[in-house]
Amino acid sequence: MDLQLSGKVAVVTGASKGIGLAVVRVLLEEGARVVAASRKSGPELEELAGPRLAHVAADLMDPGAPAQVVAHAVERFGGLDILVNNAGGPPPGARLPRFSFEGPTDADWREMFEFNLFAAVRAIRAAIPHLVARGGGAIVTVSSGGARQPAPMNVDYNAAKAGLNTLTKALSEEYGPRGVRVNTVSPGPVRTAWWTEEGGAADIIAAQAGTDRDTVMDTVAPQMMKLVTGRLVEPREVADMVALLASPRSASTTGADFAVDGGFLKEL
C-alpha cells in the first residue's frame, strides 16, 4: 500500500530508539522528510542519515524545547504535515514500574506529567498553526493501554496517558474542520529500552519475582499482563500503525485510539 507520504514533513519525538526510531525508519521508507528529536542521537538513528533526515537534540522536559523542534522542521523543510508525539515513559532518571500509589511523590507526579503530557501539549501548540497553514495534517500521539485499563501499578504514568487520550478527543473536535486529524496509538508492553536496558522494567520485575530478566520478557511479563499473543510487542508493529494514521489514506480517521498491545486491553 502506498501511504502517500512521499515529500511530507514529519516531526518525531523520542526518536533515537524504540518506537520513535521505528517510526522514523518507516516514515523515511515511505518517502517522508523527518525531523527526529531526542536528547541525544544514537548509532541506529545515525545509520539512517541522509538528506531527508535531520536530528535535533532536545530535552522535552524544557518547556521551550517542543516549539524549537517544530521551528527547526519548518525552517529545514519548509513546513509541517505530521507530528508524532512519541516521547514518553519514565522521565529522565526515573525507573518504572512502580508497584503502588504510595510510591511516587509529588515531584515524581510533576515530572511524569511534564514528560508524558505537557511536552505533547507544547508540541501540539507549536505544530497546529503550521499544519493548518498547509491545509491540514496529522497528529499521532503514542499513549498506553494503561490509560484505558488502569491498575495499581504506574498509576502516575497511566493518569498522564489518560490525559493524552482526552486531549486527543478534544483536539479532533476543534481542528478536524480545519483539516487536522488527531489520533492516539496505545501500545501494550513493547520490547524497548524501557524493558531491556540495565535497571529497566525487566530487571525490576525480575527482582520482585525472583527470576532473571530474559524470563521476565519472554514469559513472566506476557503472562502477568495477559497478552493473548504470548509475547511483547515489537516497536515496528506500533510504528506501522503510526504511519498509517499519519497517512492521507486515513483521511476519515480522527479522535480514535488504536490498541497495538498483544491483546492486553480487554474492554470493548
Side-chain angles (χ1 to χ4, degrees):
M1 178 188 294
D2 177 9
L3 294 183
Q4 301 173 3
L5 292 173
S6 182
K8 300 291 187 182
V9 179
V11 163
V12 181
T13 64
S16 64
K17 56 188 178 181
I19 295 171
L21 177 66
V23 171
V24 170
R25 183 175 287 115
V26 173
L27 293 178
L28 289 173
E29 289 172 359
E30 294 293 330
R33 294 171 288 173
V34 182
V35 170
S38 59
R39 286 192 297 277
K40 58 184 179 180
S41 187
E44 292 180 284
L45 183 60
E46 290 169 359
E47 288 176 2
L48 302 176
R52 291 188 290 107
L53 175 64
H55 176 256
V56 177
D59 180 358
L60 296 182
M61 297 291 280
D62 174 359
Q68 292 169 4
V69 173
V70 170
H72 185 90
V74 173
E75 180 180 356
R76 175 70 178 268
F77 294 123
L80 184 66
D81 303 290
I82 299 162
L83 170 64
V84 179
N85 287 307
N86 165 73
R95 296 291 182 185
L96 297 182
R98 294 174 175 139
F99 293 100
S100 170
F101 167 75
E102 297 177 7
T105 64
D106 280 4
D108 293 327
W109 275 85
R110 281 191 292 268
E111 290 182 353
M112 188 65 72
F113 270 64
E114 191 74 36
F115 192 43
N116 286 277
L117 179 58
F118 297 152
V121 168
R122 292 168 183 140
I124 293 167
R125 184 184 295 132
I128 284 284
H130 300 289
L131 297 175
V132 171
R134 302 274 268 202
I139 299 171
V140 185
T141 298
V142 178
S143 184
S144 168
R148 294 170 58 193
Q149 190 165 295
M153 177 187 289
N154 300 333
V155 62
D156 50 342
Y157 171 77
N158 292 337
K161 292 297 191 180
L164 282 178
N165 288 12
T166 299
L167 173 67
T168 292
K169 284 286 190 182
L171 291 170
S172 72
E173 285 288 318
E174 182 171 358
Y175 291 100
R178 302 172 74 181
V180 180
R181 298 180 299 102
V182 193
N183 296 286
T184 53
V185 175
S186 290
V190 183
R191 193 178 287 270
T192 64
W194 180 347
W195 284 85
T196 61
E197 69 184 3
E198 185 175 352
D203 284 341
I204 293 171
I205 294 172
Q208 289 276 330
T211 186
D212 62 88
R213 62 199 327 273
D214 290 334
T215 300
V216 167
M217 286 186 283
D218 293 341
T219 305
V220 175
Q223 291 178 350
M224 177 179 68
M225 301 185 77
K226 300 179 181 178
L227 305 184
V228 297
T229 59
R231 62 172 178 83
L232 301 187
V233 179
E234 295 297 329
R236 176 71 188 230
E237 295 168 330
V238 182
D240 286 342
M241 178 58 73
V242 170
L244 179 60
L245 291 172
S247 164
R249 301 295 291 265
S250 297
S252 292
T253 302
T254 192
D257 177 58
F258 291 83
V260 184
D261 63 2
F264 166 72
L265 187 65
K266 308 302 183 187
E267 286 92 348
L268 294 176

